[in-house]
């Protein structure tokens, strides 16, 4: 039975490049999961976009002497480039700076208001006379009222690590011009999380059986320890989505409030692009549909608590406000398989210190599948992990090249050379041939189950273990000796091995899409396993934005055992992976921490 599945992927802030920690934290697991669901015949869409608004972008614009729009567009373009090169198959990767996202976010706001889930309150905030505007928390620095550190930021103290209430800073100064701001009262809308708490708690209890323990701890555990309190959803800032209420000009929706709404607005934009404007209902209103949120652990409260609260609070009215058709309930997250963090050579990744392996920089020297392979074998699914350059080289050489790449290349070359470039005709399969095929074919169950449960490391280890089994089978059968005495026996062995390799190609395709696609061609298939990624520019009242799209095209890959026809013409194969030299370990380590300009 085909199921509707939404892969909702974390929205990167458009103020920085993307490093391997971000990739393995959320983007890559989403892609592996989504590619598997496509092969398995489910109706899956994978959506996300650039988080274009908020102070992270305006602060960067000030630092680069640029505008928020220019900053967002620059980093957005770099995301599109990286995702294409890494094969992250978003059905739509868009942005929060679109007319559609503005309308969807404002509709959620109005639906919450109509359901009585918003209230207003006046609070003191720092006002800059020189700039004649309120200063966001990140724009104010001063002395920490907890530890006395003199360079604390308004939102957080880097010395004691506490989150701060900006209005309590001692000796405050504007980060922009150093002037002293003044506290003034300003009015804001708040999301009434106290009122929504019962709905959120019920939602979490329903998912207790299958959610990751760390996600439950940071959601249900936190609420049980401390009741939810109202949270401001508007702020005094001009870069963002206007508050859709008269008299509130000059204020915007807080970026945390509107960015998560992107999961909904991106599905809606996807449907519009495909000229089936209501198609998003299949993922958001069908109660059997499942949504998976791929995020890092720093984002758990927003996705496991606040986003479900927003959705519950908007129920009934969202559809009416957005498209004049009300009464329906929006789907709450089915799973939030948040990952822990990846460190780098034993230290926390830090972009500002350039202690990072940057995605695009990496791909200027290496191929995408070895990166995907290393990041999945080392994915922080249950605990923090570490990127280690020596480990990267070892796994590439000992596993990708020695276990899998050589197996595929050796057998394809052998068949190509000795059977006129064709898949050999086997004699009757022997017990050991049937046994190895059965072993590999069982992988469609075991690997599939692991991926469905978002245990991607186990899934990949299992697929590689099956490749090891095929190697053992070949070591024993030794067709390169058989062929000298009995070519028909050798043909049976080679046919069996090629069929096992053809199955392994599918089992590995969600993880290693580029090399699986090449292997698929070498095996003589004419239609590709997967579709293609493409970009296009879209226009609306806010200007233009570029999007990334996965187009299925002639994609023919299926999650099922090989039916490789004997006699099928092969294509002269090339090695799938290259062996890496140990000397690169020191070269790469020497790049770390060196500030690039
Ligand atoms: Zn402090």
């Amino acid at each position: 039975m085909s199921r509707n599945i939404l892969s909702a992927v974390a929205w990167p802030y458009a103020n920085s490049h993307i490093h391997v920690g971000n990739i393995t934290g959320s983007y890559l697991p989403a892609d592996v999961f989504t590619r598997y669901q496509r092969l398995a015949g489910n109706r899956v869409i994978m959506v996300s976009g650039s988080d274009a608004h908020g102070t992270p972008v305006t602060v960067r614009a000030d630092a680069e002497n640029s505008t928020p729009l220019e900053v967002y567009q620059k980093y957005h373009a770099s995301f599109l480039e990286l995702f294409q090169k890494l094969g992250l198959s978003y059905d739509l990767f868009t942005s929060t700076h679109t007319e559609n996202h503005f309308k969807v976010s404002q509709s959620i706001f109005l639906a919450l208001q109509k359901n009585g889930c918003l209230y207003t309150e006046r609070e003191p905030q720092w006002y800059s006379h020189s700039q004649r505007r309120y200063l966001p928390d990140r724009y104010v620095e001063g002395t920490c009222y907890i530890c006395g550190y003199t360079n604390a930021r308004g939102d957080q103290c880097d010395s004691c690590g506490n989150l701060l209430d900006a209005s309590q800073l001692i000796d405050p100064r504007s980060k922009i011009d150093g002037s002293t701001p003044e506290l003034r009262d300003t009015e804001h809308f708040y999301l009434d999380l106290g009122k929504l708490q019962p709905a959120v708690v019920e939602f979490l209890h329903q998912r207790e059986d299958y959610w990751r323990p760390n996600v439950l701890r940071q959601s249900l555990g936190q609420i049980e320890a401390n009741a939810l309190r109202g949270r401001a959803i508007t702020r005094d800032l001009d870069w963002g989505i206007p508050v859709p209420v008269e008299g509130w000009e000059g204020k915007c929706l807080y970026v945390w409030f509107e960015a998560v709404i992107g999961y909904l607005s991106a599905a809606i934009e996807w449907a519009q692009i495909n000229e089936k404007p209501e198609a998003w209902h299949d993922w958001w209103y069908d109660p059997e549909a499942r949504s998976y949120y791929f995020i890092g652990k720093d984002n758990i409260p927003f996705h496991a608590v606040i986003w479900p609260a927003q959705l519950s609070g908007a129920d009934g009215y969202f559809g009416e406000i957005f498209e004049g058709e009300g009464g329906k309930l929006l789907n709450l997250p089915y799973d939030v398989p948040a990952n822990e963090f990846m460190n780098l050579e034993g230290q926390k990744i830090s972009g500002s210190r350039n202690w990072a392996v940057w995605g695009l920089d990496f791909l200027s020297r290496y191929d995408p599948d070895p990166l995907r392979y290393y990041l999945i074998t080392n994915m922080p699914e249950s605990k923090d992990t570490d990127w280690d350059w020596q480990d990267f080289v070892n796994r590439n050489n000992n596993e990708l090249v020695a276990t899998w790449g050589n197996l595929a290349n050796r057998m394809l070359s052998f068949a190509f050379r000795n059977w006129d470039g064709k898949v050999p005709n086997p004699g009757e399969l022997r017990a050991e041939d049937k046994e190895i095929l059965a072993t590999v074919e069982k992988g469609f169950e075991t690997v599939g189950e692991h991926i469905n449960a978002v245990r991607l490391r186990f899934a990949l280890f299992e697929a590689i273990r099956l490749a090891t089994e095929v190697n053992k089978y070949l070591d024993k059968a030794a067709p390169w000796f058989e062929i000298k005495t009995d070519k028909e026996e050798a043909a049976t062995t080679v046919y069996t091995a090629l069929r096992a390799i053809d199955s392994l190609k599918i089992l590995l395709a969600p993880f290693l899409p580029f090399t699986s696609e090449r292997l698929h061609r070498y095996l003589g298939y004419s239609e590709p396993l997967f579709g293609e990624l493409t970009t296009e520019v879209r226009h609306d009242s806010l200007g233009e934005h570029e999007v990334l799209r996965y187009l299925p095209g002639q994609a023919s890959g299926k999650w099922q055992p090989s039916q490789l026809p004997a006699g099928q013409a092969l294509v002269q194969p090339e090695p799938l992976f290259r062996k890496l030299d140990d000397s690169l370990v020191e070269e790469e380590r020497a790049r770390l921490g060196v500030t690039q300009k």
Side-chain angles (χ1 to χ4, degrees):
M1 187 196 71
S2 172
R3 191 185 277 282
N4 296 326
I5 294 175
L6 179 73
S7 289
V9 197
W11 290 58
Y13 264 132
N15 74 337
S16 167
H17 289 292
I18 285 174
H19 56 64
V20 292
N22 309 132
I23 296 170
T24 198
S26 51
Y27 317 135
L28 182 56
D31 183 64
V32 172
F33 179 82
T34 302
R35 284 181 185 270
Y36 162 76
Q37 299 297 351
R38 287 192 191 112
L39 293 169
N42 286 313
R43 289 184 74 212
V44 57
I45 54 170
M46 170 169 159
V47 295
S48 183
S50 288
D51 192 343
H53 299 138
T55 49
V57 176
T58 58
V59 167
R60 171 67 68 167
D62 290 339
E64 294 186 357
N65 215 353
S66 167
T67 65
L69 182 66
E70 285 167 350
V71 166
Y72 136 64
Q73 284 172 338
K74 169 180 146 184
Y75 289 103
H76 180 68
S78 82
F79 299 163
L80 298 186
E81 185 188 348
L82 172 63
F83 294 164
Q84 277 178 288
K85 287 184 172 164
L86 195 53
L88 299 186
S89 57
Y90 290 94
D91 289 276
L92 183 69
F93 185 87
T94 177
S95 138
T96 55
H97 202 65
T98 70
E99 184 183 336
N100 172 64
H101 179 69
F102 276 43
K103 189 180 165 201
V104 174
S105 300
Q106 291 171 334
S107 301
I108 289 278
F109 175 97
L110 293 170
L112 282 162
Q113 195 183 32
K114 215 163 170 179
N115 273 326
C117 295
L118 301 182
Y119 62 92
T120 62
E121 215 169 82
R122 300 185 73 81
E123 61 167 12
Q125 190 165 352
W126 296 110
Y127 181 85
S128 162
H129 286 283
S130 54
Q131 293 225 301
R132 279 186 292 173
R133 63 161 168 157
Y134 287 94
L135 296 174
D137 293 350
R138 284 191 183 213
Y139 280 71
V140 189
E141 283 179 346
T143 301
C144 173
Y145 54 87
I146 295 170
C147 75
Y149 177 61
T150 52
N151 283 316
R153 293 201 319 263
D155 55 344
Q156 190 168 17
C157 173
D158 281 338
S159 179
C160 66
N162 282 296
L163 296 179
L164 301 181
D165 171 1
S167 67
Q168 293 188 52
L169 275 184
I170 302 160
D171 294 332
R173 57 190 180 275
S174 160
K175 220 173 142 177
I176 301 162
D177 58 10
S179 64
T180 305
E182 171 197 273
L183 273 186
R184 277 194 188 177
D185 269 2
T186 176
E187 191 172 27
H188 285 294
F189 275 100
Y190 283 70
L191 180 62
D192 194 345
L193 287 167
K195 182 173 181 173
L196 291 162
Q197 176 165 325
V200 174
V201 169
E202 190 195 342
F203 152 80
L204 290 169
H205 275 304
Q206 285 165 354
R207 284 149 179 81
E208 237 172 332
D209 296 345
Y210 62 93
W211 275 25
R212 292 184 180 176
N214 63 327
V215 181
L216 279 171
R217 205 166 43 241
Q218 282 201 54
S219 49
L220 194 55
Q222 292 279 340
I223 300 177
E224 281 167 354
N226 291 300
L228 294 173
R229 293 208 329 247
R231 197 179 164 103
I233 62 166
T234 60
R235 67 188 323 193
D236 297 280
L237 193 69
D238 50 13
W239 175 245
I241 303 178
V243 179
V245 177
E246 220 177 296
W248 284 72
E249 292 76 19
K251 301 193 191 228
C252 271
L253 299 181
Y254 225 121
V255 67
W256 67 259
F257 175 83
E258 51 109 335
V260 283
I261 297 172
Y263 300 117
L264 173 59
S265 69
I268 292 173
E269 187 180 353
W270 174 85
Q272 290 165 352
I273 293 176
N274 284 286
E275 293 176 351
K276 289 177 270 182
E278 293 188 349
W280 62 274
H281 293 187
D282 294 349
W283 287 271
W284 281 97
Y285 287 145
D286 168 14
E288 293 299 312
R290 287 182 176 177
S291 54
Y292 292 77
Y293 289 75
F294 294 91
I295 58 162
K297 67 175 163 188
D298 49 334
N299 257 325
I300 291 172
F302 286 105
H303 291 78
V305 176
I306 295 180
W307 177 227
Q310 288 173 255
L311 288 167
S312 305
D315 265 346
Y317 287 120
F318 171 74
E320 183 180 309
I321 293 162
F322 181 70
E323 58 185 359
E325 190 189 321
K328 288 182 184 156
L329 304 184
L330 291 161
N331 280 339
L332 298 175
Y334 175 78
D335 199 1
V336 184
N339 275 345
E340 308 282 311
F341 290 149
M342 173 176 267
N343 297 317
L344 171 57
E345 298 277 341
Q347 292 181 40
K348 253 192 169 158
I349 293 179
S350 159
S352 57
R353 289 192 299 115
N354 200 31
W355 193 263
V357 175
W358 300 103
L360 279 173
D361 181 55
F362 180 98
L363 292 175
S364 69
R365 294 189 291 285
Y366 307 98
D367 293 330
D369 276 357
L371 176 60
R372 294 174 62 111
Y373 183 80
Y374 184 60
L375 289 179
I376 297 159
T377 56
N378 216 358
M379 204 164 254
E381 289 180 327
S382 56
K383 60 177 178 12
D384 288 357
T385 59
D386 191 48
W387 173 293
D388 179 286
W389 277 103
Q390 186 65 58
D391 191 34
F392 166 70
V393 171
N394 293 348
R395 283 190 182 269
N396 180 80
N397 292 352
N398 303 339
E399 296 170 20
L400 263 190
V401 175
T403 303
W404 171 230
N406 285 354
L407 165 65
N409 192 248
R410 194 167 50 148
M411 269 304 101
L412 274 160
S413 305
F414 189 66
F416 194 84
R417 228 177 18 247
N418 293 297
W419 281 273
D420 298 327
K422 293 195 181 95
V423 177
N425 248 311
E428 198 175 332
L429 295 192
R430 301 151 299 190
E432 60 269 31
D433 307 323
K434 290 179 185 158
E435 193 185 317
I436 187 63
L437 289 177
T439 300
V440 170
E441 288 170 10
K442 187 128 198 319
F444 288 91
E445 252 172 71
T446 51
V447 177
E449 271 172 30
H450 281 312
I451 299 180
N452 249 329
V454 203
R455 293 187 299 259
L456 306 183
R457 289 176 71 226
F458 284 142
L460 180 53
F461 291 149
E462 172 67 1
I464 290 293
R465 185 187 71 79
L466 296 174
T468 310
E469 293 298 321
V470 180
N471 278 317
K472 283 189 207 157
Y473 159 82
L474 279 172
D475 286 346
K476 217 186 254 172
W480 31 90
F481 295 127
E482 274 180 318
I483 195 170
K484 292 176 186 158
T485 52
D486 187 340
K487 196 168 179 185
E488 207 182 303
E489 285 282 289
T492 306
T493 304
V494 171
Y495 173 79
T496 303
L498 287 178
R499 217 167 100 178
I501 289 166
D502 195 25
S503 285
L504 285 168
K505 166 202 81 185
I506 296 286
L507 294 175
L508 287 164
F511 309 98
L512 308 172
F514 293 95
T515 45
S516 285
E517 199 74 77
R518 268 171 59 205
L519 179 53
H520 186 65
R521 280 203 310 275
Y522 298 156
L523 283 163
Y525 294 101
S526 53
E527 288 179 337
L529 288 175
F530 293 112
E532 285 182 351
L533 282 165
T534 180
T535 58
E536 73 179 58
V537 175
R538 314 227 328 126
H539 300 267
D540 63 24
S541 62
L542 294 177
E544 56 182 41
H545 66 282
E546 197 173 11
V547 300
L548 181 66
R549 293 176 65 196
Y550 172 82
L551 304 178
Q554 302 300 310
S556 65
K558 285 198 171 60
W559 193 257
Q560 62 188 32
S562 163
Q563 307 289 326
L564 186 66
Q568 176 154 290
L570 300 167
V571 172
Q572 172 95 56
E574 307 249 348
L576 297 177
F577 307 99
R578 57 194 174 104
K579 202 161 178 256
L580 297 172
D581 197 280
D582 272 324
S583 65
L584 73 83
V585 174
E586 285 318 308
E587 280 168 38
E588 292 292 351
R589 282 179 178 157
R591 287 175 206 269
L592 298 175
V594 178
T595 310
Q596 289 168 328
K597 271 285 162 229

